[in-house]
């Protein structure tokens, strides 16, 4: 079976999401796939791991690999500018201060940065099949990723409600126009825009539900395991497909000294992880020496993933 | 029926005019009795529907958290134009912080 078009890497901060996401992207690129790896973590470190500066626009790194670091704040700012520019063409000049005021308010609204991030991600996902075959998402820590994944599903009915209200208002207006012998005003630009927004959200929701996989990453300790189980449950409830779990930084069993102690403690937790997540697959990545930055170093991890059947 | 062959069409025409005039009067009456109130009701209804939509899009301006503020940003320029008439209808003489409207 070919891998899902989109792979999200999620888990607590510092467990190895960025390292594994970059390694997995390299693995896919090595299989003659065009791959984009994108960081959605406001505390970006993908550029550091790939040892190359990254921005909002995908940078081609060669060998079928692209990478970028996207930001909800920037996306929201760009949108405000774009809407304001369109408004300058369309509304009387004296209305513009009020337009700016309300746009700023929308920009400061609590959900805006996350919505803008999903919107930017949608742009990139829309290019699957065109610019790339796979998108690998290096996510922010758990709560943030869960919200991002559930956002399209949460917002779609709201937009639908707005469309319905607008249709109702337009229906009454049309009846009135007919009665007064006025010409029908034709297509409603507001309704058109609402329909476009809904179509966008639905496209991304469908991609998340039907063409994505979420790889949870954890380290072999008891507390992270409990959190991972909660996250897995929440994802499953939302209908998001869970992929192989990655247990990262596993102490080598043949270790001596301090590490031997650690390996001994990890053994029990690892056994529990294997038992709980067997149906999804569990891959162990050993604790590795070195800085783990740059393609050369990541290739080793890519190899481990390949061997585990990724 | 008139025996005058030339009067016949004329009287037909006259009666036709009478019928039309009566119809017009009836129409005016009907309009006044039924259509006008209905139209006013419809106008009120259209405005109410429109106000509801505007309030839903501009929840932030009403001090209510709007989860789709980002998604509906591009509707704002279409709605602020007649914002003033709106908030007066909503029974508020002035509206929001300075800069929001008047
Ligand atoms: N298997 C590993 N062995 C040793 N160090 C690792 C391993 N995986 C990740 N690291 C290191 O752990 C730190 C956190 O990894 P990172 O991928 O940035 O985590 P996250 O993205 O989940 O915050 C980095 O310094 C990284 O080099
Ligand atoms: Mg990271």
């Amino acid at each position: 079976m070919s891998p899902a078009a989109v792979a999200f890497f999620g888990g607590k901060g510092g467990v190895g999401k960025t390292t594994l996401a970059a390694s997995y992207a390299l693995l896919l690129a090595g299989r003659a796939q065009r791959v984009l790896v994108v960081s959605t973590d406001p505390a970006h470190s993908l550029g550091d791991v790939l040892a190359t500066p990254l921005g909002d626009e995908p940078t081609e790194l060669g060998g079928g690999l692209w990478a970028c670091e996207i930001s909800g704040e920037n996306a929201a700012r760009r949108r405000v500018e774009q809407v304001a520019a369109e408004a300058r063409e369309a509304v009387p000049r004296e209305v513009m201060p009020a337009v700016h005021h309300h746009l700023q308010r929308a920009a400061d609204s609590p959900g805006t940065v996350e919505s803008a991030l999903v919107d930017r991600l949608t742009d990139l996902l829309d290019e699957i099949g065109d610019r790339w075959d796979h998108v690998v998402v290096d996510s922010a820590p758990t709560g943030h990723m869960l919200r991002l994944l559930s956002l399209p599903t949460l917002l779609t009915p709201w937009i639908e409600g707005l469309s319905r209200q607008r249709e109702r208002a337009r229906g009454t207006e049309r009846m009135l126009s007919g009665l007064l012998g006025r010409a029908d005003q034709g297509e409603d630009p507001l309704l058109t825009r609402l329909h476009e927004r809904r179509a966008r959200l639905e496209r991304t929701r469908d991609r998340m539900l039907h063409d994505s996989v979420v790889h949870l990453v954890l380290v072999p300790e008891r507390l992270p395991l409990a959190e991972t189980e909660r996250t897995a449950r929440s994802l499953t409830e939302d209908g998001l497909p869970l992929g192989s779990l990655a247990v990262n930084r596993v102490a080598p069993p043949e270790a001596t000294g301090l590490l031997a102690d650690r390996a001994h403690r990890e053994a029990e937790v690892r056994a529990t992880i294997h038992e709980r997540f067997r149906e999804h697959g569990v891959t162990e990545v050993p604790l590795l020496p070195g800085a783990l930055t740059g393609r050369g170093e990541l290739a080793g991890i890519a190899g481990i993933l390949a061997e585990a059947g990724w | 029926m008139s025996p005058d062959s030339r009067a016949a069409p004329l009287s037909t025409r006259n009666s036709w005019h009478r019928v039309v005039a009566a119809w017009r009067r009836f129409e005016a009456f009907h309009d006044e009795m039924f259509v006008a109130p209905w139209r006013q009701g419809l106008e009120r209804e259209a405005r109410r529907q429109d106000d509801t939509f505007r309030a839903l899009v501009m929840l932030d301006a009403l001090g209510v958290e709007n989860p789709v503020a980002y998604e509906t940003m591009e509707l704002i320029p279409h709605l602020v134009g007649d914002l003033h008439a709106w908030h007066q209808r909503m029974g508020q003489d002035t509206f929001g912080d300075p800069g929001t409207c008047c």
Side-chain angles (χ1 to χ4, degrees):
Chain A
M1 205 179 79
S2 72
V6 191
F8 290 87
F9 282 77
K12 269 170 86 86
V15 294
K17 296 179 295 295
T18 306
T19 309
L20 291 176
S23 305
Y24 181 55
L26 271 172
L27 171 65
L28 291 176
R31 291 178 181 153
Q33 301 286 302
R34 296 167 303 164
V35 187
L36 169 73
V37 53
V38 48
S39 164
T40 60
D41 188 348
H44 296 295
S45 70
L46 184 62
D48 295 338
V49 169
L50 287 168
T52 182
L54 297 174
D56 183 82
E57 272 306 311
T59 303
E60 188 168 4
L61 302 179
L65 186 66
W66 282 259
C68 63
E69 297 175 336
I70 60 176
S71 140
E73 264 105 5
N74 290 347
R77 189 160 354 95
R78 279 198 303 272
R79 183 127 181 92
V80 168
E81 281 162 12
Q82 181 199 341
V83 174
E86 278 165 19
R88 269 193 292 279
E89 305 293 314
V91 308
R93 191 203 304 255
E94 64 271 20
V95 178
M96 278 313 288
V99 169
H100 280 296
H101 183 90
H102 286 280
L103 285 179
Q104 196 48 52
R105 219 185 208 132
D108 294 339
S109 200
T112 288
V113 169
E114 269 170 353
S115 280
L117 189 64
V118 171
D119 203 29
R120 177 72 188 113
L121 186 61
T122 297
D123 287 340
L124 299 170
L125 296 183
D126 280 347
E127 291 179 302
I128 292 175
D130 182 13
R131 279 178 89 184
W132 24 77
D133 305 302
H134 294 277
V135 172
V136 177
V137 184
D138 169 22
S139 304
T142 308
H144 188 275
M145 179 190 71
L146 288 178
R147 277 198 305 282
L148 189 136
L149 287 170
S150 60
L151 208 55
T153 306
L154 285 175
L155 298 189
T156 304
W158 193 287
I159 300 291
E160 264 162 26
L162 281 178
S163 301
R164 262 199 310 280
Q165 180 57 34
R166 183 69 185 170
E167 268 154 15
R168 214 172 294 145
R170 288 281 292 178
T172 314
E173 257 168 44
R174 242 195 317 277
M175 226 192 295
L176 203 56
S177 295
L179 205 60
L180 299 176
R182 280 197 227 118
D184 194 345
Q185 285 132 44
E187 215 173 299
D188 176 25
L190 277 72
L191 210 45
T192 307
R193 294 200 148 90
L194 283 171
H195 288 155
E196 279 166 9
R197 294 316 294 181
R198 189 181 68 184
R200 245 177 112 75
L201 285 169
E202 278 176 345
R203 212 158 58 230
T204 296
R205 180 191 63 187
D206 288 348
R207 215 187 278 280
M208 284 170 173
L209 293 177
H210 306 302
D211 206 6
S212 301
V213 69
V214 182
H215 295 289
L216 294 178
V217 183
L218 78 167
V219 290
E221 289 163 19
R222 199 153 288 287
L223 284 179
L225 171 59
E227 190 196 292
T228 306
E229 287 190 289
R230 271 197 304 278
T231 307
R233 231 178 352 257
S234 161
L235 286 169
T236 307
E237 275 164 18
D238 288 349
L240 290 154
L242 213 57
S244 248
L245 199 75
V247 188
N248 193 22
R249 287 202 240 123
V250 174
E254 69 282 2
T256 51
L258 217 58
L259 269 185
D261 211 38
R262 179 167 153 187
H264 182 72
R265 264 182 289 121
E266 284 177 357
E268 200 188 327
V269 184
R270 281 166 50 217
T272 313
I273 293 172
H274 279 277
E275 183 196 309
R276 302 272 162 86
F277 288 92
R278 183 172 304 138
E279 54 174 318
H280 303 290
V282 177
T283 299
E284 295 194 338
V285 179
L287 180 69
L288 297 164
L292 301 183
T293 59
R295 291 172 84 136
E297 301 232 4
L298 297 176
I301 301 177
I304 293 168
L305 296 179
E307 217 167 288
W310 287 53
Chain B
M1 223 207 287
S2 168
D4 186 346
S5 61
R6 296 171 53 137
L10 187 68
S11 89
T12 308
R13 212 178 304 149
N14 279 339
S15 59
W16 170 247
H17 277 301
R18 267 204 314 278
V19 170
V20 169
W23 174 251
R24 288 269 148 78
R25 273 197 308 278
F26 168 72
E27 232 184 9
F29 164 77
H30 179 264
D31 206 66
E32 199 179 321
M33 276 305 281
F34 303 108
V35 182
W38 185 51
R39 188 175 59 215
Q40 276 163 20
L42 213 56
E43 266 163 6
R44 256 199 310 279
E45 178 62 9
R47 195 167 298 158
R48 201 177 62 78
Q49 298 284 12
D50 211 44
D51 286 347
T52 307
F53 177 75
R54 192 183 308 273
L56 284 171
V57 174
M58 306 202 114
L59 278 180
D60 296 293
L62 298 169
V64 181
E65 193 175 304
N66 179 7
V68 292
Y70 175 85
E71 295 293 325
T72 54
M73 246 185 221
E74 53 189 347
L75 307 187
I76 287 174
H78 295 268
L79 296 174
V80 288
D82 37 344
L83 190 66
H84 183 67
W86 173 58
H87 72 70
Q88 286 201 318
R89 270 204 303 284
M90 307 275 285
Q92 290 170 287
D93 286 339
T94 56
F95 181 67
D97 327 328
T100 309
C101 184
C102 49

